[in-house]
Amino acid sequence: MLEVKGIQNGIVLDHIKAGNGLKIFNKLISREVNVPVVLVMNVESKILGKKDIIKIEDRFDINLNVLGLIDENVTVNIIVDGELKEKKKVTIPEKLKGYINCKNPRCISHFDNYVEPEFTLYDREKLEYVCSFCDEITKFE
Ligand SMILES: [Zn+2]
């Protein structure tokens, strides 16, 4: 089995369904984080069969909301001084800022740089959100 060095301080995202690790990395990590990150894919898991793991060193301010959108089963482990300090589950957020763009091409959020797109959860199963500016429904993908 592949051994990966544990981290002293940072976040370990565990129980990511195999395949979602890369998605989380692309959507969230690569654009927000510039510290050492380890992505381990297809690790044997008793619960999931195969899983992915992401380790992020020296960062604690990861957007858990977006994690929930990609994979609701992720466990977030907060590591401080080499010890597990906290375990968190992620959820699908009721409100979303950024991360999706309104589907309506005439929506003000596309034209006004001072306006941050804001969305409210509309359909939990389909991951659909309502734009707070134009009421258009946009799906998270
Ligand atoms: Zn809109």
Side-chain angles (χ1 to χ4, degrees):
M1 163 125 180
L2 178 71
E3 284 292 331
V4 178
K5 187 176 79 74
I7 55 175
Q8 279 298 108
N9 289 287
I11 294 177
V12 176
L13 306 177
D14 199 359
H15 304 117
I16 304 167
K17 192 167 154 270
N20 282 343
L22 198 58
K23 213 168 162 184
I24 291 172
F25 185 83
N26 288 335
K27 280 255 183 217
L28 179 67
I29 316 279
S30 64
R31 80 187 223 189
E32 280 195 4
V33 177
N34 57 0
V35 292
V37 175
V38 179
L39 166 60
V40 191
M41 293 168 73
N42 298 319
V43 181
E44 297 293 333
S45 162
K46 283 194 188 89
I47 308 164
L48 299 169
K50 287 207 190 302
K51 67 177 181 180
D52 296 345
I53 301 170
I54 296 177
K55 301 185 185 198
I56 306 156
E57 250 179 79
D58 299 324
R59 278 288 293 266
F60 299 97
D61 52 345
I62 295 300
N63 188 329
L64 300 179
N65 281 345
V66 180
L67 277 179
L69 278 170
I70 298 170
D71 189 334
E72 244 195 317
N73 296 311
V74 174
T75 312
V76 180
N77 299 295
I78 314 284
I79 315 288
V80 179
D81 295 328
E83 284 182 24
L84 178 62
K85 281 284 166 206
E86 205 184 337
K87 241 183 205 302
K88 289 187 206 169
K89 292 299 278 177
V90 299
T91 52
I92 293 171
E94 290 295 325
K95 296 267 181 196
L96 200 58
K97 270 189 180 178
Y99 291 101
I100 54 175
N101 289 314
C102 184
K103 209 174 76 180
N104 173 7
R106 289 183 315 252
C107 178
I108 187 171
S109 67
H110 296 300
F111 304 108
D112 190 334
N113 287 334
Y114 298 99
V115 166
E116 194 178 10
E118 208 181 291
F119 301 88
T120 305
L121 188 60
Y122 176 74
D123 188 317
R124 187 171 286 273
E125 293 299 309
K126 295 185 193 152
L127 295 181
E128 288 177 337
Y129 282 82
V130 181
C131 176
S132 53
F133 296 108
C134 70
D135 290 336
E136 180 80 29
I137 292 165
T138 301
K139 191 173 158 50
F140 179 85
E141 287 170 306

